[in-house]
Amino acid sequence: MLVVAVVLSAAGLLVTASEGVVERRRTLAALRAGGMPRRTLAAAILAETLLPLVPVIAAATIAGLMASRGLFGSSVNAFDAVNGTSSTLVAVPIPWLRLMVLAGGAVATSTLVTAGSLALLGPSSDPTELRAAA
């Protein structure tokens, strides 16, 4: 289910990022006509996606960790098969590596999807777009 959610989120982000580039074609064309390099425009589009995304992913990771700790606790009673008792209290470690992989994967996926939308930057920032009807 997590993979399906990531794929659907990535598709939604691709549509939103592509739509943003196409909707701002006159502004992008004016910037290009004024001498701004295409690489700078691409960096700005990536930054406007990633700058709000990174803190949100960090906050969501921390919130998920706190919610799971609040719901399930940080220790469990272990069953001792030799004695047949369950009095041993065992601490459950936080899976830091897995959390970082998930958070990093979300940022990487978002970066790749946004970079994919930059394919529309060339045609949308052509100075001939300034003559197009609004």
Side-chain angles (χ1 to χ4, degrees):
M1 290 308 274
L2 185 61
V3 172
V4 172
V6 168
V7 169
L8 290 175
S9 299
L13 180 61
L14 179 62
V15 168
T16 303
S18 299
E19 184 179 317
V21 169
V22 171
E23 281 184 6
R24 294 180 295 174
R25 69 182 189 275
R26 291 180 62 106
T27 304
L28 294 172
L31 288 169
R32 286 283 296 139
M36 182 171 284
R38 190 172 290 162
R39 170 175 264 162
T40 304
L41 289 175
I45 290 171
L46 281 172
E48 73 182 12
T49 300
L50 292 178
L51 286 177
L53 186 71
V54 171
V56 167
I57 288 177
T61 302
I62 292 169
L65 177 64
M66 293 302 176
S68 66
R69 287 294 175 151
L71 185 62
F72 299 115
S74 61
S75 60
V76 295
N77 287 329
F79 181 72
D80 187 6
V82 175
N83 297 329
T85 61
S86 63
S87 62
T88 307
L89 197 60
V90 178
V92 177
I94 297 174
W96 291 111
L97 181 62
R98 290 181 180 173
L99 287 173
M100 295 304 148
V101 167
L102 282 174
V107 171
T109 301
S110 300
T111 303
L112 290 174
V113 168
T114 304
S117 72
L118 295 178
L120 298 172
L121 182 61
S124 293
S125 65
D126 190 58
T128 59
E129 289 293 326
L130 291 172
R131 291 181 280 184

